[in-house]
């Protein structure tokens, strides 16, 4: 959802700015641009298209300078044209600005500035910012104050960075969109996310909403809105650049699918006792007094939340999953006995943050299940459960889904035990199988037939995914992944729903991926048969030796484990099918069109 990068140092900024943009491209890739200040003016290069086109077309000599900002865009206001690409400048190019977020009152500011004679060249909300700064400079105030006063006029969400001609400082402000400072021996970075500068430094300071930061090559100053100094702790991030890189894989997505034996092992390590069956989950406080759990999330995380909801209900806890963007209009009653769990890989999804804030306002206790330490969700919730899946760069979420699902399952047992004194989950068996899970996932990935199935069923009209119980969110997730990266039409249904409408669309050109989790499989088989009768090929995702294989056209094998885990294993097969189908279609797998990894607008 747009990535911003800034660099102030003793060396030339251009290389680290371009590296930063490449590393941030997962946040948006409609257009890219850079502005560098060298004491003799600000030079800007920007264009629609990917960072690689920018890199290929620029002359680095024209962008000499030790202070600069850059941006990779996911369009909100205005199409992805050269004019709408960031950085935006004022008419004299004395000021350059990059922005992530949405300025809600931009239309009113724009008309006011236009009436005062300021000329606009783009359709973006961002362009008001350099003009506001310039207007303040015109009034004779110094650059930092000009920046602060401009920011004071904005309503909405933003992470904004600006440079001004003749100033060797970079100014930035955060309100509702992520911003992190990287500290290196020879200077400072500013970025939307840590991977932007991980090659250069792992020492970071996470900025909070309301923070202003001024960076120079020899120092950083963080203040609040009123200019009072603010102390923010330094952190050392525990991933390295290699971990965040693509390694020998063609795509991040395949790397991240393949990493699941490790990411799952990291997620569960030390969080339960296989001998006693107790679930510790770090030092989460007791959930005593909670009578109802509400999980809020979007996209893939919503499917994990649905998975967790089933686990909670099975444990004996009243639970619901709600799409975060529906929360304000459709939330059930909430009080102090409600626990609201924000399930969010990035911890920055605006819809999810808004929902959790509204829930907190109504008295709910809050917990985030997230991958990103220092994210907004982690900072704003009462308690945090980090999924520890490692960096996920591919826009399509994969390893974070399996880690979310497995941790929500463990959390269900813990919440049930705390609130009712017992849990109905078969925790003994679960703990034994969790010990085997990483090895089972490794074998599944090595032996998967997903590639040949993707080849066999290419060029179909539509792709359906069905399942029941835990298999339903898995089917929904299978369809989301498939449509997201192949651009083919795909839908996920509860298998019992097929006959209530979707069957009208089933033809011999509609492969039906059917998930069997070991619960009510005969009924799911009957639902699959309804599709077979209409000529549709059925691909059964089930253990070897399962009855479904006899009538299915094809089979993707999963180990025969408890349904709580078999759904997770089935998801991995479906991730691989989507990946290989998209690879055969030559899609931009890591950067599917119109999407971005971190959606920081509502
Ligand atoms: C799909 C995908 C998205 C995200 C959704 C929520 O592959 O990645 O659907 O799951 O945007 O993101 P987080 O989990 O960061 O809140």
């Amino acid at each position: 959802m747009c990535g911003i990068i800034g660099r102030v140092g003793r060396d030339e900024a251009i290389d680290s700015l371009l590296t930063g943009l490449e590393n941030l491209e997962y946040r948006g890739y409609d257009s890219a641009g850079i502005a560098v200040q060298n004491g003799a003016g600000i030079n800007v290069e920007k264009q629609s298209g990917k960072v690689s086109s920018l890199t290929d077309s620029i002359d680095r000599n024209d962008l000499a300078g030790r202070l600069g900002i850059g941006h990779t865009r996911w369009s909100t206001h205005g199409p992805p044209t050269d004019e709408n690409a960031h950085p935006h400048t004022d008419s004299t190019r004395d000021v350059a600005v990059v922005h992530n977020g949405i300025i809600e009152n931009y239309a009113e500011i724009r008309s006011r500035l236009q009436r005062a004679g300021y000329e606009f060249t783009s359709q973006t909300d961002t362009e008001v910012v350099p003009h506001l700064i310039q207007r303040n400079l015109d009034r004779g105030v110094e650059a930092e104050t000009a920046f602060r006063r401009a920011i004071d006029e904005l309503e909405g969400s933003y992470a904004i960075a600006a440079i001004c001609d003749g100033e060797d400082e970079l100014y930035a402000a955060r309100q509702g969109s992520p911003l992190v400072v990287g500290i290196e021996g020879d200077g400072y970075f500013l970025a939307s996310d840590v991977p932007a500068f991980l090659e250069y430094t792992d020492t970071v300071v996470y900025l909070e909403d309301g923070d202003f930061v001024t960076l120079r090559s020899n120092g950083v100053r963080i203040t609040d809105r009123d200019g009072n100094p603010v102390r923010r702790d330094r952190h050392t991030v525990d991933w390295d650049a290699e971990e965040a890189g693509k390694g020998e894989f063609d795509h991040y997505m395949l790397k991240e699918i393949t990493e699941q034996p490790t990411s799952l092992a990291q997620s569960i390590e030390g969080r339960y006792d296989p001998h006693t069956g107790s679930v510790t989950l770090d030092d989460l406080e007791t959930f005593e007094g909670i009578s109802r759990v509400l999980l809020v999330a979007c996209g893939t995380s919503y499917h994990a939340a649905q998975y967790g909801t089933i686990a909670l209900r099975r444990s004996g806890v009243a639970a619901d999953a709600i799409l975060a963007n529906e929360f304000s209009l459709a939330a059930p009653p909430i009080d102090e006995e409600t626990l609201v769990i924000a399930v969010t890989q990035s911890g920055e999804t605006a819809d999810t943050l808004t929902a959790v804030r509204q829930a907190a306002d109504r008295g709910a206790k809050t917990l985030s299940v997230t991958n990103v330490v220092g994210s907004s969700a982690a900072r704003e919730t009462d308690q945090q459960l980090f999924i520890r899946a490692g960096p996920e760069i591919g826009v399509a979420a994969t390893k974070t889904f399996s880690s979310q699902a497995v941790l929500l399952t463990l959390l269900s047992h813990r919440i049930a035990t705390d609130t009712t004194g017992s849990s109905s989950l078969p925790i003994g068996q679960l703990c034994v199988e969790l010990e085997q899970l990483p090895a089972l996932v490794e074998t599944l990935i090595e032996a998967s037939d997903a590639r040949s199935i993707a080849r066999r069923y290419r060029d179909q009209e539509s792709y359906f995914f069905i399942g029941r119980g835990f298999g339903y969110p898995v089917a929904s997730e299978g369809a989301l992944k498939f449509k997201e990266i192949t651009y083919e039409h795909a839908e996920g249904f509860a298998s019992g729903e097929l006959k209530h409408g979707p069957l009208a669309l089933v033809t011999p050109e509609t492969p039906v991926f059917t998930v069997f989790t070991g619960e009510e499989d005969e009924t799911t088989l009957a639902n699959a048969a309804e599709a077979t009768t209409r000529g549709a090929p059925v691909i059964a995702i089930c253990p070897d030796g399962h009855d479904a294989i006899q009538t299915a056209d094809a089979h993707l094998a999963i180990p025969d484990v408890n349904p709580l885990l078999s759904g997770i294993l089935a998801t991995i097969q479906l991730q691989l099918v989507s990946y290989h189908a998209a690879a055969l279609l030559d899609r931009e797998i890591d950067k599917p069109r119109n999407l971005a990894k971190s959606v920081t607008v509502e």
Side-chain angles (χ1 to χ4, degrees), residues 297-303 343-350 352 369-370 392 394-398 400 404 477 480-481 484 595-599:
C298 301
T300 292
S301 290
Y302 175 66
H303 299 144
V343 185
T344 166
Q345 181 281 128
S346 63
E348 300 294 350
T349 300
T352 307
V369 176
T370 181
E392 186 177 72
V395 165
T398 52
T400 53
Q404 288 167 336
E477 174 57 13
L480 177 67
K481 212 88 307 170
E484 192 179 10
L595 301 180
K597 181 83 183 152
S598 178
V599 186

Side-chain angles (χ1 to χ4, degrees), residues 196-347:
F197 50 68
L198 209 48
E199 274 105 317
Y200 302 96
T201 180
D202 59 3
T203 307
V204 305
V205 173
Y206 296 103
L207 298 179
E208 305 266 347
D209 280 351
D211 284 356
F212 281 77
V213 61
T214 302
L215 298 175
R216 357 175 80 230
S217 61
N218 59 0
V220 53
R221 194 171 71 251
I222 305 175
T223 51
D224 64 14
R225 284 185 174 284
D226 301 321
N228 304 311
V230 173
R231 224 194 107 63
R232 300 275 172 242
D233 293 337
R234 288 184 182 203
H235 300 266
T236 305
V237 291
D238 56 4
W239 336 315
D240 56 27
E242 202 182 313
E243 207 182 337
K246 219 162 28 181
E248 83 254 25
F249 292 90
D250 289 339
H251 299 98
Y252 280 108
M253 184 182 178
L254 185 58
K255 172 174 180 262
E256 288 158 6
I257 293 173
T258 310
E259 275 170 356
Q260 286 176 100
T262 312
S263 55
L264 281 164
Q266 285 169 187
S267 297
I268 57 181
E269 193 193 345
R271 287 176 150 167
Y272 65 98
D273 184 337
H275 307 295
T276 62
S278 70
V279 173
T280 43
L281 289 178
D282 311 342
D283 48 6
L284 284 185
E285 286 164 19
T286 177
F287 294 101
E288 222 172 304
I290 294 296
S291 61
R292 169 197 186 86
V293 179
L294 203 54
L295 296 96
V296 293
C298 301
T300 292
S301 290
Y302 175 66
H303 299 144
Q306 289 180 308
Y307 204 98
T309 300
I310 302 173
L312 276 157
R313 291 176 182 166
R314 295 280 179 91
S315 312
V317 178
D320 281 298
I322 182 165
L323 285 167
N325 34 61
E326 284 292 302
F327 185 87
S328 58
L329 299 177
I334 286 172
D335 58 22
E336 306 71 44
E337 292 186 5
T338 312
L339 172 69
V340 170
I341 304 179
V343 185
T344 166
Q345 181 281 128
S346 63

